[in-house]
């Protein structure tokens, strides 16, 4: 890990993301699913408790400090149990055994993110600096996330919003292209070293597209807040995109220095829920 994001910031980012995930599950369950709703709300409260504890710690503490190791020990069980909970929901959703208005593929994305935090926690628990994801692994995780965000935006817009639909489709096509390119790059890496020029160019192309799409989504959120776009979603769901995009750009800038300026100025917090 190159140190662009401190261990305290890693915890803050991931816990707020997982708290959002728990809220989204709660809000997309039918009122008939009382037990599942209660469990989701319980996780929401658990993540909030962890965030409260985290904010009592000095943000400059290192991953090897006793306080940070202790915090990782506190966080791990909740993060792991939430991973199991979402996995159970996904299994039920695949079998149509639960009234949950989220798709199995949506839950794949949230489970992938949860799994990455669990990977980081496995190092923090041992007071070790985490091994960074390679570029192809980083793209595997976050390209799918970005594609999911733009597809969700398209699907959450009212049918009258044809401009949103068409612009979203254009971005979706670009991210599908990047996913395919990264798939082939992983094949090249069997006999070619990490960071070869075309792979670095892919990182830069992805970063610039992510920044461009982020500005587009920001414009949609501004219209949402001005009640100028018809939709079927909530502000938290829309703003969830911003911290994840910032995190991706910060990590991507380690491979594409041209993105450093953007990575320094973006925020790992949601604008309206920080």
């Amino acid at each position: 890990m190159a140190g662009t994001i401190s261990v305290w910031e890693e915890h803050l980012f991931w816990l707020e993301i997982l708290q959002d995930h728990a809220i989204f599950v709660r809000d997309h369950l039918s009122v008939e699913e009382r037990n599942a709703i209660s469990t989701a709300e319980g996780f929401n409260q658990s993540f909030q408790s962890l965030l409260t504890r985290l904010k009592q710690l000095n943000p400059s503490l290192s991953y090897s400090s006793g306080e940070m190791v202790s915090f990782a020990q506190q966080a791990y069980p909740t993060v792991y149990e939430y991973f199991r909970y979402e996995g159970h929901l996904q299994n039920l959703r695949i079998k149509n055994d639960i009234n949950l208005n989220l798709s199995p593929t949506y839950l794949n994305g949230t489970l992938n993110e949860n799994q990455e935090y669990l990977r980081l926690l496995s190092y923090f628990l041992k007071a070790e600096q985490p091994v960074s994801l390679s570029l192809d692994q980083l793209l595997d995780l976050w390209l799918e996330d970005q594609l999911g965000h733009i597809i969700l935006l398209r699907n959450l817009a009212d049918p009258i919003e044809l401009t949103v639909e068409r612009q979203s489709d254009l971005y979706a096509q670009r991210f599908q292209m990047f996913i395919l390119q990264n798939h082939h790059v992983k094949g090249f890496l069997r006999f070619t070293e990490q960071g070869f020029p075309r792979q670095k160019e892919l990182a830069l192309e992805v970063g610039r597209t992510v920044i461009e799409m982020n500005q587009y989504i920001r414009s949609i959120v501004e219209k949402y807040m001005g009640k100028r776009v018809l939709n079927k979603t909530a502000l938290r769901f829309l703003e969830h995109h911003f911290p994840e995009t910032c995190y991706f750009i910060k990590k991507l800038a380690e491979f594409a220095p041209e993105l450093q300026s953007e990575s320094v100025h973006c925020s790992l917090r949601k604008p309206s829920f920080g």
Side-chain angles (χ1 to χ4, degrees):
M1 189 155 51
T4 56
I5 300 176
S6 71
V7 59
W8 190 90
E9 289 173 320
E10 288 280 4
H11 285 302
L12 180 69
F13 168 76
W14 287 110
L15 288 170
E16 289 194 335
I17 291 303
L18 292 183
Q19 183 181 41
D20 274 0
H21 292 173
I23 291 170
F24 299 155
V25 165
R26 181 199 67 191
D27 291 351
H28 286 81
L29 282 160
S30 165
V31 292
E32 298 173 353
E33 303 289 353
R34 295 180 183 85
N35 290 339
I37 290 172
S38 176
T39 302
E41 178 56 23
F43 279 114
N44 173 28
Q45 297 299 325
S46 294
F47 288 131
Q48 185 56 54
S49 295
L50 286 167
L51 284 164
T52 299
R53 289 180 213 161
L54 178 68
K55 290 171 185 177
Q56 294 168 352
L57 298 178
N58 186 337
S60 65
L61 288 169
S62 76
Y63 61 87
S64 60
S65 67
E67 295 97 324
M68 278 302 178
V69 173
S70 176
F71 183 79
Q73 291 170 342
Q74 293 171 349
Y76 188 90
T78 300
V79 174
Y80 178 68
E81 286 306 316
Y82 186 69
F83 180 74
R84 287 174 52 84
Y85 170 68
E86 273 204 354
H88 176 62
L89 293 181
Q90 184 187 56
N91 178 266
L92 294 175
R93 181 64 277 175
I94 288 169
K95 297 173 181 175
N96 293 327
D97 285 340
I98 191 168
N99 193 343
L100 171 64
N101 191 27
L102 293 169
S103 74
T105 300
Y106 166 88
L107 292 167
N108 257 359
T110 56
L111 285 164
N112 287 343
E113 292 163 18
N114 195 328
Q115 201 163 15
E116 172 60 8
Y117 187 30
L118 287 170
R119 186 187 75 85
L120 295 173
L121 282 170
S122 72
Y123 290 95
F124 295 148
L125 286 168
K126 297 179 286 188
E128 295 177 358
Q129 186 175 29
V131 174
S132 296
L133 294 176
S134 61
L135 177 54
D136 58 300
Q137 291 171 330
L138 183 71
L139 293 178
D140 258 349
L141 176 61
W142 292 111
L143 282 176
E144 187 174 323
D145 178 72
Q146 292 286 307
L147 176 61
H149 286 188
I150 200 63
I151 290 174
L152 281 169
L153 181 66
R154 181 192 65 193
N155 294 342
L156 291 169
D158 188 273
I160 198 176
E161 304 292 356
L162 294 175
T163 302
V164 174
E165 179 182 328
R166 289 170 184 169
Q167 185 60 56
S168 297
D169 283 341
L170 290 174
Y171 280 120
Q173 289 169 15
R174 289 165 74 175
F175 280 101
Q176 287 165 343
M177 175 188 71
F178 290 142
I179 289 169
L180 180 62
Q181 289 175 325
N182 189 53
H183 168 75
H184 287 293
V185 165
K186 286 190 293 183
F188 303 154
L189 293 173
R190 286 176 290 200
F191 293 99
T192 303
E193 71 285 352
Q194 284 273 2
F196 66 97
R198 184 62 183 90
Q199 188 186 23
K200 287 184 176 180
E201 183 66 16
L202 176 61
L204 183 56
E205 290 171 354
V206 166
R208 286 173 172 163
T209 302
V210 167
I211 292 166
E212 179 188 319
M213 189 177 81
N214 194 54
Q215 290 302 315
Y216 173 67
I217 293 179
R218 195 172 297 280
S219 74
I220 298 299
V221 172
E222 288 172 1
K223 288 183 179 181
Y224 179 97
M225 297 182 77
K227 309 185 193 314
R228 293 181 286 117
V229 63
L230 303 181
N231 66 90
K232 55 180 179 180
T233 191
L235 182 61
R236 180 184 288 270
F237 205 75
L238 290 172
E239 288 194 351
H240 184 79
H241 168 80
F242 298 130
E244 291 190 333
T245 294
C246 180
Y247 186 90
F248 185 24
I249 288 294
K250 285 180 180 292
K251 297 291 185 179
L252 204 52
E254 297 173 17
F255 301 95
E258 299 91 336
L259 305 174
Q260 282 290 348
S261 176
E262 187 72 22
S263 76
V264 167
H265 294 107
C266 69
S267 173
L268 293 169
R269 313 287 306 276
K270 294 183 296 299
S272 303
F273 300 90

